[in-house]
Amino acid sequence: MPEYTISTADGEDWPALGNSLAAVLQPGSFECEILEDSDVLTFRTGPATVSASWELLGTWYVDVEDAPSPETADLIVADMAHRLAEATGRQAIHHRITD
C-alpha cells in the first residue's frame, strides 16, 4: 500500500480548489470511478483504490491500495500531481513515503 505526498515545489500552500476535488485531482490518463468527492477524494482505477486528503499546509496525502505494481501506483500519483499543477498554475512535486 504505497503512500505519497503531493506538495508545491516552493513549499507554499495550494490555492483553493473549489467544491470538487475530482475536478483537479482525478488522473486524466486512467479510467476512474469516483467513490467519494468531499473532504476526501476516493476513486477506483482498475483494481486500485486511491484516496487523497489534505493533511498539512500545502500537502496532499495520497494512499494507493491494491495497485498491480509500485510503478502503476507511481504513475497514478504522478498524473494526479500533473493535473493539480495544471489546475492551480503551481509546480507540483510528489514523493513516495512508504511502499
Side-chain angles (χ1 to χ4, degrees), residues 4-7 74-75 77-79 81-82 92-96:
Y4 299 81
T5 59
I6 303 174
S7 56
D74 290 347
L75 290 171
V77 177
D79 195 337
H82 178 76
I93 56 172
H94 66 285
H95 299 281
R96 186 187 316 170

Side-chain angles (χ1 to χ4, degrees), residues 2 15 35 53 58-59:
L35 304 175
S53 60
T59 304

Side-chain angles (χ1 to χ4, degrees), residues 20-27 34 37 41 83:
S20 174
L21 297 178
V24 295
L25 287 171
Q26 177 182 335
I34 302 300
D37 188 9
L41 173 64
R83 294 264 313 203

